[in-house]
């Protein structure tokens, strides 16, 4: 992996696979039942106001225990800023964030420490590394996403200040229940991030039944960013949609990512899919705001499908680490629908990818004279101070 931020090279060499981004590089560390999870954000521009309490709102949106439909583990998720901030402003040096784990209950994992949950990373981690931390799934736990959301707070703030960009997400579908409409104000009124008031009671009833059955369910999360200027993304291997897909796919339990119309393009014709252009803008957004891997100036829209999680009370057949056939049941505090809490995580990953691409775009193209034509709705890639 190529990382251009000088301070990240050591991390990449030591902790392969735990760093993402190039100009804005994030390295996360920690396990669910270790002392803490944390991250190092390298390449963040200086001068951005940042205080520990700035992380609270998004961390609470992602937190366990906000509703009976998610894990009941109770973490305070307090962020400690260890470096990179002085007198309330980022300094341009690596920002280190630490969140201590305070409510791990490792005894829950005693019964399955030597058994592979079918459908879980238990099996692959064991076979790959030969030694693993089974408590809470160790490094494969969704607990790691806490610090991605924290890093995403900084990326969101940078994008907001530079471009006025807002990144927002919702839960589009749970099992067979799909929200047909989107009321963004309603999304934030419940911990389920559901965008449609009329079908919320049906969703609650479905989730209650699911919990009683001891099973889990898959979900579809939608995330979008707007305004996004034309020009973010690089040819071929640095495509905006490619990097978004990789970032969203890196979230626990994600099995598929769509950009724009996604899989539905299979049944479309060119005359239907193309987004016609006039001075007033694009007539539609089938592309999801990305053309040729480069942002078109339209909202960037992505969806990700999350599998039903494997930590369930329904007994299943598996092997233990000695190769013996055994039955496995997972007790403890788990998410029957991990898609619910994935909404702020998807927002964070989209914000981090866009912020990274914005910094890369400015590094290469700051002197490019816009050849036009310019759509009336376009957002410049630099703020007015940079342009003067
Ligand atoms: C998780 C299992 C549960 C969740 C956890 C993710 O935790 P535990 O390891 O205590 O069983 O509560 O989520 C969090 C702790 C969190 O903060 O998101 C899993 O298997 O991924």
């Amino acid at each position: 992996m190529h990382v251009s931020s000088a301070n990240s090279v050591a991390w990449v060499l030591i902790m392969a696979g735990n760093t993402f981004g190039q100009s804005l590089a994030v390295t996360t560390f920690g396990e669910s039942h270790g002392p803490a999870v944390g991250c190092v954000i390298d390449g963040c521009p200086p001068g951005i106001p940042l205080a520990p309490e700035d992380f609270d709102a998004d961390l609470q949106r992602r937190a366990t225990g906000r509703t009976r439909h998610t894990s009941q583990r109770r973490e305070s998720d307090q962020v400690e800023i260890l470096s990179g901030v002085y007198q309330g402003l980022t300094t341009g040096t690596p920002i280190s964030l630490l969140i201590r784990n305070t409510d791990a209950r490792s005894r829950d994992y005693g019964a399955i420490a030597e058994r592979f949950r079918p459908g879980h990373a238990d099996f692959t981690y064991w076979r790959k590394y030969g030694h693993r931390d089974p408590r809470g799934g160790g490094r494969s736990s969704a607990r790691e996403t806490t610090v991605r959301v924290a890093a995403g707070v900084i990326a969101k703030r940078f994008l907001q200040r530079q471009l006025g960009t807002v990144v927002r997400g919702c839960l589009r579908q749970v099992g067979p229940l799909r929200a047909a409409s989107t009321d963004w104000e309603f999304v934030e009124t419940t911990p389920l991030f559901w965008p449609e008031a009329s079908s919320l009671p049906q969703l609650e009833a479905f989730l209650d039944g699911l919990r009683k059955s001891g099973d889990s369910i898959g979900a579809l999360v939608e995330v979008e960013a707007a305004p996004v200027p034309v020009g973010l993304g690089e040819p071929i291997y640095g495509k905006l949609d490619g990097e978004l897909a990789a970032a969203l796919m890196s979230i626990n339990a994600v099995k598929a990512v769509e950009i724009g119309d996604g899989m539905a393009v299979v049944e479309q014709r060119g005359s239907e899919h193309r987004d016609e252009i006039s001075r007033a803008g694009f007539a539609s957004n089938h592309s999801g705001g990305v053309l040729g891997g480069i942002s078109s100036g339209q909202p960037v829209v992505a969806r990700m499908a999350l599998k039903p999680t494997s930590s369930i009370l329904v007994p299943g057949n598996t092997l233990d680490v000695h190769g013996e056939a055994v039955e496995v049941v997972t007790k403890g505090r788990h998410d029957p629908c991990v898609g619910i809490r994935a909404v702020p995580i998807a927002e964070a990953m989209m914000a981090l990818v866009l912020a990274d691409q914005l910094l890369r775009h400015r590094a290469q193209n700051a002197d490019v004279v816009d050849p036009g034509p310019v759509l009336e709705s376009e957002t410049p890639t630099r703020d007015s101070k940079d342009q003067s």
Side-chain angles (χ1 to χ4, degrees):
M1 179 180 179
H2 168 70
V3 173
S4 56
S5 204
N7 294 302
S8 296
V9 174
W11 284 97
V12 172
L13 294 177
I14 298 165
M15 294 292 286
N18 294 291
T19 301
F20 66 94
Q22 292 185 24
S23 287
L24 185 69
V26 178
T27 302
T28 73
F29 60 88
E31 288 83 28
S32 181
H33 292 217
V37 288
C39 67
V40 178
I41 302 139
D42 198 4
C44 178
I48 300 174
L50 197 63
E53 56 272 21
D54 294 341
F55 299 98
D56 292 348
D58 264 0
L59 288 179
Q60 280 314 304
R61 291 172 73 231
R62 192 215 69 93
T64 50
R66 293 179 74 211
T67 152
R68 64 186 183 279
H69 304 302
T70 61
S71 161
Q72 294 303 301
R73 181 164 157 174
R74 304 284 166 157
E75 290 287 347
S76 57
D77 286 345
Q78 293 296 303
V79 175
E80 294 171 47
I81 301 175
L82 304 184
S83 69
V85 177
Y86 179 64
Q87 293 181 337
L89 297 177
T90 60
T91 59
T93 59
I95 300 169
S96 311
L97 305 178
L98 194 78
I99 299 176
R100 293 180 197 276
N101 294 325
T102 55
D103 188 31
R105 215 169 61 187
S106 300
R107 66 175 182 277
D108 286 349
Y109 289 84
I112 59 167
E114 294 200 333
R115 294 173 187 213
F116 307 120
R117 283 167 281 181
H120 197 277
D122 290 344
F123 177 74
T124 45
Y125 270 59
W126 173 252
R127 292 300 302 274
K128 180 176 172 71
Y129 297 108
H131 179 62
R132 71 184 182 103
D133 178 357
R135 304 164 307 161
R139 183 74 179 145
S140 70
S141 169
R143 180 85 190 126
E144 182 269 346
T145 63
T146 320
V147 288
R148 301 188 197 208
V149 170
V153 166
I154 301 173
K156 281 182 177 178
R157 180 163 289 191
F158 172 62
L159 292 170
Q160 227 298 312
R161 286 165 59 87
Q162 289 292 315
L163 308 168
T165 306
V166 172
V167 183
R168 60 189 181 179
C170 69
L171 188 59
R172 174 61 58 199
Q173 185 170 348
V174 172
L177 303 178
R178 190 177 179 103
S181 60
T182 309
D183 176 346
W184 284 107
E185 277 178 24
F186 183 72
V187 168
E188 294 300 324
T189 63
T190 81
L192 298 180
F193 303 102
W194 190 248
E196 188 178 63
S198 61
S199 53
L200 184 68
Q202 212 184 337
L203 176 66
E204 297 260 18
F206 178 83
L207 289 172
D208 281 333
L210 181 76
R211 195 175 60 256
K212 281 172 198 144
S213 74
D215 215 336
S216 63
I217 192 75
L220 188 70
V221 164
E222 193 167 294
V223 62
E224 65 169 46
V228 174
V230 180
L232 305 191
E234 294 168 351
I236 318 296
Y237 304 113
K239 287 183 173 184
L240 178 59
D241 44 3
E243 294 198 350
L244 262 178
L248 295 175
M249 195 69 114
S250 75
I251 297 170
N252 315 57
V254 172
K255 298 303 278 185
V257 174
E258 295 187 322
I259 309 291
D261 285 2
M263 298 297 276
V265 302
V266 174
E267 295 184 17
Q268 295 174 351
R269 292 173 184 254
S271 54
E272 182 189 355
H273 178 80
R274 65 186 178 184
D275 302 311
E276 292 187 311
I277 311 170
S278 71
R279 281 283 289 165
F282 292 89
S284 51
N285 190 14
H286 297 290
S287 73
V290 187
L291 294 169
I294 296 172
S295 60
S296 66
Q298 296 208 78
V300 173
V301 182
R303 281 176 298 281
M304 60 182 201
L306 296 103
K307 71 179 181 181
T309 43
S310 49
S311 299
I312 54 178
L313 289 167
V314 181
N317 296 318
T318 189
L319 293 182
D320 66 15
V321 295
H322 311 292
E324 298 295 325
V326 290
E327 192 173 74
V328 68
V329 170
T330 311
K331 297 185 178 147
R333 305 169 293 180
H334 297 285
D335 290 276
C337 178
V338 80
I340 297 171
R341 295 196 297 120
V343 171
I345 308 168
E347 291 173 3
M349 295 310 282
M350 181 176 269
L352 286 160
V353 169
L354 288 171
D356 181 38
Q357 287 279 8
L358 175 60
L359 291 170
R360 286 152 64 180
H361 175 70
R362 295 200 313 194
Q364 183 188 28
N365 298 313
D367 300 329
V368 171
V369 178
D370 192 330
V374 181
L375 306 180
E376 282 154 15
S377 58
E378 256 181 62
T379 309
T381 50
R382 274 156 280 149
D383 61 19
S384 47
K385 197 174 98 218
D386 285 341
Q387 284 182 319
S388 60

